[in-house]
Amino acid sequence: MDRETSEHADVVVVGAGLAGLSATLHLLGAGRSVTVLERDSAPGGRVADRVLHGHRIDLGASVFTMPELLDEAFAAVGETTAERVTLVRLDPAYRAHFADGSTIALHTDAEAMEAEIRAVAGAADAEGYRRLRHWLSELYAAQRDTFIGANFDSVRDLARPELARLAALGGFGRLGAKTARFLRDERLRRLFTFQSLYAGLDPMRALAAYGVIAYMDTVAGVYYPKGGMGQLARGMTAAARAAGATVRLGTAATRLERTTDGRVRAVHTDTGDRISCGAVVLATELHTAYALLGRTPRRPVRARYSPSAVVLYGHTAHRRPELGHHNLFFGEAWRETFTEVVRRGRLMSDPSLLVTRPTATDPDLAPPGRDIVTVLAPAPNLRTSRVDWPRVTAAYRDELLRTLETRGVTGLGDDLTLERVATPLTWAAEGLGAGTPFSLAHTLGQTGPFRPANRVRGAAGVVLAGCGTTPGVGIPPVLVSGRLAAERVLADRASRRAPLLSAP
């Protein structure tokens, strides 16, 4: 039985990933008392890292963009990002390697990127890049405050002037076709569309509106926090505690207690505590949130999940200076890749890979003379997969390393000590829906007001946050989701405190 406690918080936040921590900081800034519950022993969620044999290895997201959203969260409690996190801007953001042996550096500085394109593809594509960059910036401006940064209560909320602007920009066409209007070189088209994979979409079939992800990567800039990606969560946690939050690590929420009219009034934990509260933010996986709520909202069609990934995590005995921080190795069969992974549920026959070497930026993550290297390969999720993971994992691991060997990363297979190999089964064991770390795909039917809402009917005082709800997948949207959840809580509290108007 739960033991009686006198603990109380205005708001209990369940989950200390970036969404939950963002909500916490915004709520603290508005004067609310907050208790954060995190089932793991460390904060971070999808940006967690771990120290394995003296190497601090990022186990989740490795690409960080839009640091101004982090600034907003810290500013809510009177702090700055620089007080808690040291960010390094990556230049180039990526180094792309192609099947023909060519290499292109992706710079976010306009002049540097234009010069790179002029050198590898010619003057016409250099001029096309300038126009593409302008279009991506306009696309982001049209969506930033209304479609990415705002709560939706119904489809009618789409009826805004920005919707017409988005249509005028070609946002409802196809991203691949739109990008091809600016760039002739197929290699460049890949560089400015592959980002839609982060949202679970085939770059050729994704709506052009998802060019905002390419904007974040190729215009706004890519950063890395010194100390590892987990430093984002550690810094936010420290700021939350300094502002008065109670953060309980290694403590899971097990039940929501509600009044007879359905309003939440307490959270029960696996440590036997009862924390009374006026509101709850569930910054968890959707199915975890719905389990705590005891209900799953009905949808007209079954939720569609993003593709998953196989990730090799390891460290090398020697430095690998031929690798930059983020390295893209494109296979020749680019378009076929999406058919295999997304629609057929099969492994890539000609893999395209993301290889990350964070020690290129932060050597202190590993002992002297060594590097941390991770290899990510897109893979089908468990709902679409025809892959027998227990049988094929070891062979596929070796195949990926052989692929990199043939593409110029010589000797990596012998030099790399693997600490972990994650497959869709790994993600599923960690509680991620459909065995994917990328949550629900951003199809048209799962975007904006059509994405699972951050409020659930009949659950007064409970708000959702995280990549499964609005606005969506990725570190920038998740930080926004925390702010939007905080706004919901504050608006609900204000409406309940407002005096009733007497009838005329």
Side-chain angles (χ1 to χ4, degrees), residues 130-151:
R130 282 286 189 175
R131 291 186 292 111
L132 172 63
R133 185 183 178 97
H134 178 71
W135 176 72
L136 291 173
S137 299
E138 286 193 301
L139 200 65
Y140 176 70
Q143 298 181 69
R144 178 186 57 214
D145 297 327
T146 52
F147 300 114
I148 298 174
N151 278 307

Side-chain angles (χ1 to χ4, degrees), residues 18 72 169 251 297 309 312 358 444:
L18 296 190
E72 289 180 3
L169 288 169
T251 305
L312 315 184
L444 182 59

Side-chain angles (χ1 to χ4, degrees), residues 350-369:
D350 183 16
S352 288
L353 308 172
L354 171 64
V355 178
T356 303
R357 182 173 73 103
T359 38
T361 301
D362 188 359
D364 291 341
L365 296 172

Side-chain angles (χ1 to χ4, degrees), residues 26-64:
H26 285 287
L27 288 165
L28 290 167
R32 302 298 184 264
S33 63
V34 181
T35 292
V36 182
L37 304 177
E38 169 55 52
R39 66 180 184 182
D40 290 336
S41 60
R46 283 177 168 83
V47 294
D49 56 22
R50 295 290 185 273
V51 177
L52 302 170
H53 298 101
H55 303 76
R56 185 171 289 279
I57 299 178
D58 297 323
L59 298 181
S62 63
V63 179
F64 176 52

Side-chain angles (χ1 to χ4, degrees), residues 388-405:
D388 182 351
W389 288 108
R391 184 178 64 84
V392 308
T393 295
Y396 192 54
R397 171 202 64 202
D398 295 342
E399 179 184 336
L400 295 178
L401 293 175
R402 284 195 301 270
T403 297
L404 289 172
E405 183 85 23

Side-chain angles (χ1 to χ4, degrees), residues 52 55-59 62 224 311-327 329 354-360 365-366 370-376 401 404 409 411-413 415-421:
L52 302 170
H55 303 76
R56 185 171 289 279
I57 299 178
D58 297 323
L59 298 181
S62 63
Y224 190 76
V311 187
L312 315 184
Y313 304 92
H315 50 83
T316 63
H318 308 89
R319 298 283 286 174
R320 308 292 303 198
E322 73 274 23
L323 292 172
H325 190 117
H326 292 304
N327 309 269
F329 289 87
L354 171 64
V355 178
T356 303
R357 182 173 73 103
T359 38
L365 296 172
R370 298 186 179 186
D371 272 327
I372 293 168
V373 175
T374 63
V375 180
L376 183 150
L401 293 175
L404 289 172
V409 191
L412 182 63
D415 193 26
L416 185 66
T417 298
L418 287 177
E419 293 284 359
R420 186 181 190 221
V421 177

